[in-house]
Amino acid sequence: MNLLFHRLLLLSALIAGSNSLSNAKAGLVPREGFVQVEGGPIWYRIFGSGKGIPILIVHGGPGSRSCYYENLAVILGKDRPVIVYDQLGTGRSGRPIDTSLWKVERFVRELGQFRAALKLDRINLMGHSWGAAVVAAYLSMGKPKGVESVIFAGPYLSSKLWVEDANILLSQLPKDTQATLKRHEQAGTTESKEYQEAAEVFYSRFMYHKPRPSLPASCGESKGNDEIYTLMWGASEFSVTGTLKTFDITPVLPRLKMPVLFVVGQFDEVRPETATLLQAMVPKAKLEILEGCGHMAPIEDPEAYANALNLFLGKIGSSPKN
């Protein structure tokens, strides 16, 4: 038995060493750069150089940016390379003015083109919020190989489900706040200061539930793009008027064969009840609910978030052996 045990340890060490060499050989060492995709250049950054299978994080929005995940990536990077990128039109990426580029299908092609450029043959794929929609659509439309696992984080996968959750959460706000939001939405005056202040009441409870943390310094050099958000989604998180109004990628969920983890905050815009419903659509999927967090849990509590991801990745054999 002792001989067998030592052989297994040796085999694990050899596999881990092989993964480490493969990551380095593929250029997956800490660095940043640009990749040319359909429509223009996109910026990326690689954190960490551990032995585990890399994690590729697709940020939320549409029109947000990847700097939000920097603290999480640093922690996860102790075990594996973690890759983030700014989607075209936002952050440090190119900002073309052609609005025909802002379609789900192009964002899916962008993900595929980026992955091919970095030669990411085997990855754990994480999509947060809108990023989950891009990931799910990528899995549906591209049928890609080498996706070892999927992490749907605070996932936007259906406009109908998102709006249903938003309406339930709105009903928990003070009556005068609800009335202010409704009045301005009906009048088309959602850019007014009064509307923005009322919307902030919602955001302070459900986007961030804990005291809002300081953003990574790199976010000061990386701006979002409200034009993309407004065109595709609308004026606020709880009012969809854009091209995503009828979006629903949930039919792909039952077809997923790889290990899948859903992660939401206790007070997420994606309510735990909805996350449980989504989990039930995926065979053998896991669900983690982070206590005291809102939708931006990766920023509110990156340590707890990393622990949840590492636990999941360890159980499916995607973490390096010590």
Side-chain angles (χ1 to χ4, degrees):
M1 289 294 293
N2 288 337
L3 180 59
L4 177 60
F5 177 73
H6 286 298
R7 285 179 175 175
L8 289 173
L9 283 179
L10 178 60
L11 179 61
S12 295
L14 288 173
I15 292 172
S18 175
N19 284 343
S20 182
L21 290 172
S22 296
N23 287 339
K25 186 177 181 180
L28 298 181
V29 294
R31 62 186 173 93
E32 60 183 80
F34 289 88
V35 166
Q36 186 70 28
V37 298
E38 177 185 346
I42 59 172
W43 177 89
Y44 71 91
R45 184 174 179 183
I46 302 174
F47 296 83
S49 55
K51 301 174 183 178
I53 296 171
I55 296 177
L56 173 58
I57 300 177
V58 184
H59 70 71
S64 188
R65 66 265 207 230
S66 66
C67 62
Y68 286 113
Y69 310 95
E70 183 172 316
N71 294 336
L72 176 63
V74 168
I75 300 170
L76 292 172
K78 295 174 183 177
D79 292 324
R80 68 190 71 247
V82 181
I83 306 104
V84 301
Y85 70 97
D86 289 334
Q87 294 160 24
L88 187 67
T90 192
R92 302 183 187 187
S93 294
R95 292 179 178 246
I97 60 174
D98 181 2
T99 58
S100 69
L101 293 168
W102 314 137
K103 295 178 180 178
V104 174
E105 294 80 6
R106 195 214 57 81
F107 284 103
V108 168
R109 293 193 295 273
E110 173 183 281
L111 172 55
Q113 291 159 7
F114 175 68
R115 186 183 169 194
L118 264 64
K119 297 180 172 60
L120 300 175
D121 297 330
R122 299 176 67 201
I123 56 169
N124 299 292
L125 189 53
M126 171 178 162
H128 179 240
S129 195
W130 147 256
V134 176
V135 166
Y138 173 69
L139 296 172
S140 174
M141 298 175 188
K143 295 181 174 57
K145 297 180 180 179
V147 178
E148 301 291 319
S149 74
V150 172
I151 299 155
F152 289 126
Y156 160 64
L157 298 169
S158 161
S159 293
K160 179 177 180 290
L161 289 177
W162 188 278
V163 171
E164 287 176 356
D165 274 349
N167 287 336
I168 291 172
L169 298 177
L170 283 168
S171 71
Q172 300 173 20
L173 301 182
K175 296 296 183 183
D176 59 335
T177 301
Q178 295 182 51
T180 298
L181 293 169
K182 186 174 182 179
R183 183 175 69 254
H184 284 289
E185 285 170 3
Q186 290 177 341
T189 52
T190 54
E191 295 183 0
S192 69
K193 181 180 179 181
E194 187 181 35
Y195 180 85
Q196 296 300 324
E197 289 176 348
E200 184 58 32
V201 177
F202 179 94
Y203 297 147
S204 66
R205 294 191 184 190
F206 307 117
M207 181 170 281
Y208 296 90
H209 190 75
K210 296 180 179 182
R212 191 171 299 196
S214 299
L215 295 177
S218 60
C219 286
E221 307 167 3
S222 173
K223 303 299 182 183
N225 190 326
D226 291 339
E227 291 182 9
I228 299 176
Y229 182 84
T230 302
L231 174 69
M232 296 188 70
W233 183 256
S236 67
E237 291 287 282
F238 39 83
S239 177
V240 55
T241 56
T243 57
L244 291 171
K245 192 169 186 176
T246 60
F247 179 81
D248 183 1
I249 196 66
T250 57
V252 73
L253 297 182
R255 303 200 297 269
L256 299 181
K257 304 300 183 184
M258 71 288 289
V260 173
L261 173 68
F262 290 87
V263 188
V264 296
Q266 181 183 0
F267 301 95
D268 207 308
E269 292 178 80
V270 181
R271 298 183 310 123
E273 295 87 345
T274 300
T276 301
L277 175 68
L278 295 169
Q279 177 200 10
M281 297 181 187
V282 184
K284 299 181 181 180
K286 305 299 181 183
L287 170 62
E288 186 73 27
I289 301 171
L290 297 181
E291 185 177 352
C293 291
H295 187 57
M296 298 304 291
I299 301 174
E300 290 182 291
D301 198 340
E303 288 281 356
Y305 219 96
N307 288 341
L309 267 57
N310 281 329
L311 181 62
F312 167 71
L313 294 171
K315 287 183 177 179
I316 65 171
S318 186
S319 289
K321 301 295 189 294
N322 293 325

